[in-house]
Amino acid sequence: MSKQGKIKNGNNKAKHTKLLNQKKNKIREAKALNKQRLKALITKSNLYKQDCSCGSGKLYEDCCAIAHKNIELVTTAGQLMRSRYTAYVVGDIEYLMKSHHSSTCPIKEKKEILKWTKSVKWLRLEVLNTAKGGVGDTEGTVEFKAYFEENGVAAVIHENSKFNRENEHWVYLGEL
Ligand SMILES: [Zn+2]
């Protein structure tokens, strides 16, 4: 074998090793992604069997999960308010957008909201007052307190929220 041939073989070997490593890395990444997906799925199925964060005393699957799956099944403004709180807790940003009136929806801050809600620890929801917002109403208000912890500091959102209907379901309009 000539000297040149040896070098060439050496180069081929290096190239081969590189390709093999790339392939290995790809498989490793795919496996990690699968593991992540599985973990998310298990967490989600566990969540369904847990008490709903809105404080109704029902399981999540029998409470706000119904709203999160189909917003049209929400019959009152109070229910929508509770389901929005729970959406903050579980980080369901799509539901938070969908349940917001289009004229006031913070669609541009979607990413920031998701990041923020995932960073805080939601503690509990207290519904203080509701006015109108029933099955036959077109608008209503709900006063609530949402307790959370941000960077270890206790905080509360106290708001009297206005709700009305859009696309034939309840939506959050904003603070009264
Ligand atoms: Zn609930």
Side-chain angles (χ1 to χ4, degrees):
M1 199 185 279
S2 72
K3 201 180 171 191
Q4 223 176 359
K6 259 187 196 166
I7 292 167
K8 209 177 172 192
N9 274 343
N11 281 346
N12 276 343
K13 206 178 168 190
K15 211 173 169 187
H16 187 245
T17 312
K18 201 180 163 193
L19 281 174
L20 207 70
N21 279 341
Q22 274 176 355
K23 214 174 176 180
K24 272 187 193 164
N25 276 340
K26 258 194 183 162
I27 292 170
R28 206 175 291 139
E29 275 169 25
K31 270 188 184 168
L33 207 71
N34 254 337
K35 215 173 165 184
Q36 241 176 40
R37 280 198 195 123
L38 209 69
K39 217 174 156 186
L41 223 80
I42 292 167
T43 313
K44 211 167 178 191
S45 68
N46 283 343
L47 186 74
Y48 282 105
K49 298 290 174 199
Q50 280 171 17
D51 287 341
C52 196
S53 308
C54 77
S56 63
K58 289 188 231 170
L59 292 180
Y60 172 62
E61 67 177 354
D62 298 323
C63 189
C64 293
I66 297 169
H68 293 169
K69 278 185 196 154
N70 184 0
I71 197 166
E72 285 171 21
L73 296 177
V74 176
T75 53
T76 66
Q79 233 177 58
L80 190 89
M81 195 277 125
R82 287 175 173 278
S83 68
R84 277 180 55 80
Y85 170 81
T86 309
Y88 273 107
V89 180
V90 301
D92 191 340
I93 192 71
E94 296 307 326
Y95 185 78
L96 288 171
M97 297 294 119
K98 208 190 306 173
S99 60
H100 213 298
H101 194 275
S102 59
S103 67
T104 49
C105 189
I107 196 93
K108 281 183 188 161
E109 288 128 65
K110 201 171 149 180
K111 268 189 188 167
E112 283 76 20
I113 295 169
L114 182 62
K115 206 175 150 195
W116 173 76
T117 197
K118 279 187 167 177
S119 76
V120 307
K121 187 180 168 195
W122 290 97
L123 301 173
R124 68 191 165 92
L125 173 73
E126 224 178 81
V127 177
L128 306 170
N129 272 307
T130 54
K132 291 190 188 166
V135 177
D137 294 318
T138 51
E139 53 175 46
T141 56
V142 182
E143 187 188 358
F144 69 88
K145 275 184 175 176
Y147 296 87
F148 63 99
E149 229 176 76
E150 193 169 6
N151 301 321
V153 181
V156 59
I157 297 171
H158 182 187
E159 190 182 301
N160 200 1
S161 305
K162 202 167 158 49
F163 298 85
N164 67 5
R165 288 176 191 263
E166 187 180 41
N167 300 325
E168 288 170 45
H169 62 72
W170 283 104
V171 283
Y172 168 63
L173 198 62
E175 200 175 347
L176 198 69

